[in-house]
Amino acid sequence: MDLSFSEDQELIKSSVEKFITDNYHSQKRRKIIAEAKGFNESIWKSFSELGWLGLPFPEELGGHGGGLVDLMILMKAFGRGLVIEPYVSTIVMSGKLLTLCPQGNLRDNILSDIIKGEKKASFGYAEPGSRFNSHDVETIAKKTSNGWEINGHKTVVFGGGQSDYILISARTSGDRFDKNGISIFCLNANSPNLNIQDYPTIDGFRAAEIRMKNLKIDDEYLLSEKDNGYEIIEETFLNTIVASAAEASGIMEKMYEMTLEYISTRKQFGVAIGKFQAIQHRAVEMLILSEEMSSLSAMSALTNNKSLTNKKTIYSSKIHIGIGGKKLGQEAIQLHGGMGVTEEMEIGQYFKRLTLLDTFLGNSDFYLKQYAKIDF
Amino acid sequence: MNLDFSNKDQIFREEVKSFIEDNLNKETARRIGEGLPVSKEDTQEWQIKLSNKGWMAPNWPKEYGGTGWSLTQRYIFDEECGAASTPRTIPFGVTMVGPVIIKYGTEEQKKKYLPKILSSDQWWCQGYSEPGSGSDLASLSTKAIKDGNCYIINGTKTWTSLAHHADMMFVLVRTRSDCKPQEGISFILIDMKSEGISVNPIVTLDGSSEINMVYLENVKVPLENLIHEENKGWTVAKYLLGHERVSIAEVARSKKALSRVKEIARLNLDGGRSLTKNDRFMDKLIKCEVKLQALEYAELKVISDAVKGNPPGAEASILKIRGSEIQQQITELTLEASGYYAYPYQMKSMEKGSNEPIVGPSWGVSSAPKYFNTRKTTIYGGSNEIQKNILAKMVLGL
Ligand SMILES: Cc1cc2nc3c(=O)[nH]c(=O)nc-3n(C[C@H](O)[C@H](O)[C@H](O)COP(=O)(O)OP(=O)(O)OC[C@H]3O[C@@H](n4cnc5c(N)ncnc54)[C@H](O)[C@@H]3O)c2cc1C
């Protein structure tokens, strides 16, 4: 057992922290958000040069063979810097999904394009009626003579309007809720009969409604084995939660620090408000919540097989984003008083992202239920 | 002690209902029901209807144009307005400065201001907080210096709600410094059109702009705009804050908002099932309703005492604490119910008359903005921490 970072990991940590300090200050982020695409080409290029786009992929696929701990280090720094580039949608989520799909020309090309930073991808799993149940799939793919015809609606697809490839889950057999019969397809963003409604999200990212109407694709665009996509989705979710927990941990740590700074300098009744014990105890509670997030994030990054114990660890980190993150976020705003509810203050920007991270991939209630299913 | 409605009360309820039915703009009500912003015009339209009916000021004594309603009638009125999603009457005139003028104002001042509050011709805003004086309000530094028949006022007020719509502002200013801070404060009324006032919007987390910075630079205010005595402003302010804290409890509005959450929970949102089948969600919803029921009774008690001539004291802080928390919890429930539809940023489609296509169900559009915006309720009107300090001192005697 050794809980310290390796030399390589220290290197990732210092390089990403330096990058954020030098290149990703809040004014810049706000400018990127205001731009039409919602991400910055030159920053994406830097990500590629720094090796982050290939970080989580195995070397045989052109990646750098990084593990979950490496991803955690990167994502935690992204959280602290409130990075809104489509890294999770393209690299973490779509990347993992593609890696888990069987090898094939199309898959290999997309992966290589993604790693080189030339193309982006997104994954549409949610549907208007599905809520957080990713096996609730009503998008239908029907076999045609030389391919598939797809009809359906994928909703709130993160990075959907920013990507060249849209990966989707669609039903190739079975009924609405069956886990069997779900397959994964790839769509070119410019396909006819594919409607993409791109919009900003409240936390500064972008998402899209993806509507498919009699959309025809060739056989090779079925990426998973027919009917066997669900397990891949599940594993992709688990992997993405690890990244998301690290991001949340970075955000919570930063919010705690900003709040500590604020209560140490804001004076009322002739003293810094941090002198009041009622405030001190709450700031300490914030510290503990942040430390818990950090621990759970590290624990989940150290999971290395698909055992149920590991699943529970990953669920725990997700549950804490919802429960601990919500508490910490609300406290941070409250302790900032009126300043906390202004758009101008950075604390609010972090609060918005943290709030919505609970919802991402299913909220804490949803994972409490999954957790209970494992043990009881 | 009883909670029954008499026959007379039932008749009154019908009267209120049919008044609302005949006078409330349906589109405005729909927007409020969905948590969308309402404009000054929307609110004004409703206030004028109330005013014409003589129902603008249920909390004022009859001789000043109040309704003379019993406690029960006021309760029924609030409940029906909440249930029908009428615009809120702007509190700064009717709820805050009105009672102050009635208690401390001269005959002249009563004649000058009260009718225009009743007719909604004048909108008010509250200039208490300053950048350096929030919780420690008594430390405020905006100065008023006597100059002939005027005060010359200099300073900055902040977080001033609706200053951009207001015709008048009541402010706390410093008129003496060589004493305890509380003893050198005066309560003054300022015409917002006075020279030297500028109003700058502050955008809040949810993207809306309802609060402002108000800069006062050599603003001349006639001496007759002083309320009560010079340097007695703190007494006036405390009297007003009691009223403000009760009004912040917003029980009727929260009841309506919670019933809306219930409607949402009944929809089949959760993979073909309704959220009412989701115990975790329902526990939170019901716990919130339990708190709300307790608050409702507590509010009735405070109003009932007030009607008997015992103005709200420190207990009003309890209403403020729980009322504000409940408002937040309700927005939290709606946010949770929205699932992924909390994400889309749809400011444009929230605007009145917008044709922007919306993403997700219409009730979800405002769910995250509302949640962010409602963080304010535990901060304003004296933060909840300050309310707890008051209770610890005044009620617990610690
Ligand atoms: C949306 C909105 C609308 C508003 N509208 C108006 C308006 O119309 N007119 C107006 O005059 N003001 C208005 N306010 C201002 C409001 O009254 C102040 O924000 C409030 O009094 C808190 O002051 P502050 O923001 O300076 O926070 P601070 O006083 O700096 O407090 C920061 C934090 O420290 C806590 N704290 C401070 N002192 C203590 C203590 N002794 N013990 C424990 N905790 C403490 C506070 O509770 C808070 O959590 C509004 C505020 C908001 C957010």
Side-chain angles (χ1 to χ4, degrees):
Chain A
M1 194 160 84
D2 178 7
L3 294 182
S4 53
F5 292 148
S6 69
E7 222 167 277
D8 281 353
Q9 288 166 343
E10 289 292 355
L11 214 63
I12 298 177
K13 186 167 184 289
S14 59
S15 87
V16 58
E17 281 170 359
K18 180 166 174 354
F19 178 84
I20 304 271
T21 316
D22 295 349
N23 300 295
Y24 215 84
H25 50 88
S26 66
Q27 289 316 314
K28 182 140 181 188
R29 169 179 13 97
R30 286 171 194 249
K31 229 180 98 208
I32 297 171
I33 291 174
E35 284 163 9
K37 281 192 204 159
F39 71 92
N40 184 295
E41 288 291 358
S42 78
I43 286 183
W44 200 251
K45 209 160 154 256
S46 311
F47 280 17
S48 165
E49 286 158 10
L50 288 158
W52 300 339
L53 300 184
L55 182 75
F57 298 101
E59 274 158 28
E60 62 270 23
L61 291 174
H64 304 296
L68 284 178
V69 174
D70 305 272
L71 185 62
M72 172 191 86
I73 292 169
L74 186 75
M75 285 305 301
K76 183 160 182 173
F78 279 4
R80 288 185 59 94
L82 209 58
V83 170
I84 48 89
E85 312 303 314
Y87 187 83
V88 171
S89 55
T90 288
I91 303 298
V92 180
M93 246 198 141
S94 306
K96 185 68 183 181
L97 195 75
L98 288 162
T99 314
L100 294 170
C101 284
Q103 206 216 337
N105 263 344
L106 180 68
R107 184 204 81 150
D108 294 355
N109 288 339
I110 301 175
L111 271 174
S112 139
D113 287 347
I114 286 176
I115 292 170
K116 280 187 280 186
E118 286 165 3
K119 294 277 162 67
K120 292 193 185 61
S122 56
F123 177 37
Y125 43 89
E127 300 190 358
S130 70
R131 198 166 166 85
F132 306 133
N133 308 287
S134 50
H135 55 91
D136 178 359
V137 176
E138 293 188 289
T139 295
I140 304 286
K142 222 171 56 197
K143 188 78 189 87
T144 62
S145 56
N146 58 346
W148 298 87
E149 184 179 290
I150 305 186
N151 279 287
H153 177 181
K154 292 294 174 184
T155 200
V156 196
V157 179
F158 296 104
Q162 299 167 315
S163 48
D164 309 279
Y165 300 106
I166 297 167
L167 315 174
I168 58 150
S169 54
R171 187 155 291 291
T172 38
S173 75
D175 292 330
R176 179 173 168 188
F177 299 102
D178 290 346
K179 290 183 178 168
N180 278 328
I182 296 170
S183 306
I184 294 161
F185 292 89
C186 172
L187 313 174
N188 279 313
N190 55 10
S191 310
N193 296 342
L194 175 65
N195 181 282
I196 303 175
Q197 181 192 350
D198 171 60
Y199 49 83
T201 59
I202 280 181
D203 53 0
F205 285 71
R206 294 190 84 85
E209 296 304 292
I210 306 289
R211 294 182 178 87
M212 298 142 284
K213 196 156 179 238
N214 304 328
L215 171 68
K216 293 196 175 55
I217 50 174
D218 290 346
D219 268 325
E220 67 163 333
Y221 284 82
L222 169 63
L223 290 176
S224 66
E225 285 172 17
K226 180 179 171 297
D227 294 342
N228 279 341
Y230 183 71
E231 258 183 49
I232 296 180
I233 296 174
E234 228 189 354
E235 200 177 331
T236 300
F237 270 40
L238 288 173
N239 195 77
T240 309
I241 290 174
V242 174
S244 188
E247 182 185 349
S249 167
I251 291 175
M252 286 167 69
E253 193 180 86
K254 182 80 185 207
M255 287 182 84
Y256 157 73
E257 288 168 11
M258 287 191 284
T259 305
L260 179 58
E261 163 78 17
Y262 192 78
I263 63 173
S264 306
T265 46
R266 168 70 175 170
K267 283 196 172 145
Q268 288 290 278
F269 305 98
V271 293
I273 55 176
K275 287 278 173 230
F276 300 120
Q277 212 162 49
I279 301 249
Q280 288 172 356
H281 286 191
R282 290 164 66 171
V284 169
E285 186 64 26
M286 286 177 68
L287 167 67
I288 296 173
L289 289 169
S290 165
E291 289 292 322
E292 283 172 342
M293 189 70 248
S294 177
S295 304
L296 290 167
S297 160
M299 290 269 284
S300 67
L302 290 167
T303 55
N304 53 13
N305 59 48
K306 287 193 255 172
S307 78
L308 288 177
T309 320
N310 281 339
K311 232 178 176 174
K312 282 192 338 194
T313 304
I314 293 176
Y315 289 166
S316 300
S317 68
K318 185 74 180 94
I319 290 164
H320 191 67
I321 298 177
I323 297 174
K326 181 180 287 166
K327 181 80 185 153
L328 180 140
Q330 292 176 346
E331 290 288 84
I333 298 299
Q334 181 69 20
L335 295 187
H336 275 76
M339 293 306 289
V341 300
T342 62
E343 176 66 10
E344 189 194 339
M345 287 287 278
E346 278 295 285
I347 194 79
Q349 308 307 310
Y350 284 83
F351 177 56
K352 287 195 244 186
R353 176 65 180 160
L354 184 60
T355 301
L356 289 178
L357 271 184
D358 174 35
T359 306
F360 183 48
L361 304 174
N363 67 9
S364 50
D365 280 359
F366 179 80
Y367 285 97
L368 282 165
K369 191 166 150 197
Q370 309 309 312
Y371 193 113
K373 275 189 199 157
I374 296 176
D375 256 7
F376 306 97
Chain B
M1 213 172 152
N2 70 74
L3 283 171
D4 301 336
F5 295 112
S6 68
N7 241 348
K8 223 178 99 211
D9 294 331
Q10 297 293 4
I11 294 168
F12 176 74
R13 189 187 286 279
E14 289 314 311
E15 190 189 354
V16 173
K17 270 194 170 141
S18 73
F19 171 79
I20 293 174
E21 175 63 31
D22 296 345
N23 291 285
L24 176 61
N25 183 317
K26 300 285 176 299
E27 173 60 10
T28 305
R30 182 194 68 83
R31 291 183 59 81
I32 293 172
E34 306 235 305
L36 300 172
V38 283
S39 64
K40 173 167 184 178
E41 291 68 37
D42 297 335
T43 303
Q44 182 69 337
E45 184 188 356
W46 174 243
Q47 291 194 164
I48 287 178
K49 297 266 171 66
L50 285 177
S51 177
N52 291 340
K53 177 83 179 169
W55 284 1
M56 185 65 180
N59 57 324
W60 292 10
K62 201 152 185 197
E63 70 254 45
Y64 293 104
T67 52
W69 286 339
S70 67
L71 162 71
T72 321
Q73 286 175 314
R74 279 173 62 181
Y75 168 85
I76 289 172
F77 180 72
D78 281 350
E79 195 172 44
E80 291 303 327
C81 286
S85 298
T86 70
R88 289 179 168 81
T89 28
I90 301 305
F92 305 108
V94 175
T95 317
M96 298 191 191
V97 81
V100 159
I101 294 174
I102 290 170
K103 182 159 171 88
Y104 295 104
T106 61
E107 281 314 306
E108 206 84 317
Q109 286 169 334
K110 288 176 187 169
K111 265 198 222 111
K112 184 161 177 196
Y113 299 111
L114 296 181
K116 288 189 175 159
I117 294 175
L118 284 177
S119 65
S120 197
D121 281 340
Q122 265 178 0
W123 278 38
W124 288 77
C125 63
Q126 176 185 29
Y128 276 21
S129 308
E130 298 179 5
S133 306
S135 297
D136 183 12
L137 186 57
S139 70
L140 61 92
S141 61
T142 294
K143 267 209 174 69
I145 294 171
K146 242 191 216 154
D147 181 27
N149 55 358
C150 279
Y151 287 108
I152 309 284
I153 301 184
N154 277 288
T156 304
K157 293 292 175 182
T158 190
W159 315 123
T160 324
S161 301
L162 303 186
H164 53 303
H165 289 329
D167 307 291
M168 294 291 298
M169 169 165 69
F170 55 92
V171 289
L172 293 178
V173 291
R174 182 150 306 288
T175 35
R176 239 185 101 178
S177 316
D178 56 349
C179 54
K180 266 181 67 183
Q182 287 82 348
E183 288 161 9
I185 291 172
S186 300
F187 190 105
I188 291 179
L189 315 179
I190 304 182
D191 186 335
M192 290 297 279
K193 283 184 286 296
S194 313
E195 216 172 296
I197 297 187
S198 46
V199 176
N200 282 12
I202 300 173
V203 179
T204 43
L205 271 187
D206 57 319
S208 68
S209 29
E210 53 188 30
I211 51 180
N212 306 273
M213 287 280 247
V214 179
Y215 300 98
L216 302 144
E217 216 185 314
N218 295 323
V219 180
K220 273 192 184 160
V221 181
L223 291 184
E224 70 248 24
N225 284 20
L226 172 73
I227 293 282
H228 200 33
E229 291 164 39
E230 210 177 76
N231 300 321
K232 288 274 161 62
W234 194 247
T235 315
V236 181
K238 280 204 299 202
Y239 176 75
L240 184 153
L241 279 174
H243 284 268
E244 180 181 0
R245 277 164 202 161
V246 179
S247 77
I248 281 177
E250 296 270 15
V251 170
R253 298 280 163 180
S254 288
K255 273 168 80 174
K256 167 68 179 178
L258 199 61
S259 74
R260 189 165 149 268
V261 177
K262 288 184 189 169
E263 280 166 29
I264 292 168
R266 283 194 196 97
L267 304 170
N268 289 339
L269 300 170
D270 194 3
R273 284 149 51 105
S274 82
L275 282 174
T276 55
K277 303 265 167 17
N278 181 328
D279 289 346
R280 293 196 167 80
F281 184 81
M282 288 312 287
D283 279 0
K284 284 184 263 190
L285 194 159
I286 291 165
K287 281 179 185 165
C288 183
E289 192 162 55
V290 169
K291 294 273 183 211
L292 183 56
Q293 288 184 50
L295 182 71
E296 181 171 17
Y297 188 84
E299 187 191 57
L300 281 171
K301 184 83 174 66
V302 168
I303 299 176
S304 149
D305 289 349
V307 168
K308 293 205 184 98
N310 308 315
E315 321 78 51
S317 292
I318 298 180
L319 302 189
K320 199 275 164 170
I321 292 170
R322 280 293 188 258
S324 58
E325 288 171 354
I326 289 168
Q327 288 171 56
Q328 291 182 340
Q329 280 158 14
I330 292 172
T331 66
E332 202 170 312
L333 288 166
T334 315
L335 179 79
E336 280 185 28
S338 303
Y340 289 125
Y341 292 119
Y343 272 97
Y345 179 72
Q346 312 197 61
M347 255 338 240
K348 280 231 175 65
S349 48
M350 284 169 67
E351 283 164 19
K352 197 173 167 183
S354 156
N355 298 319
E356 290 279 313
I358 64 167
V359 179
S362 60
W363 55 265
V365 171
S366 67
S367 67
K370 270 263 150 184
Y371 173 76
F372 296 134
N373 180 283
T374 308
R375 304 317 310 163
K376 70 187 176 191
T377 60
T378 48
I379 295 168
Y380 66 22
S383 74
N384 284 20
E385 289 73 31
I386 293 304
Q387 308 296 341
K388 286 181 185 173
N389 287 348
I390 293 172
L391 286 165
K393 194 167 158 194
M394 310 297 285
V395 177
L396 280 62
L398 294 171

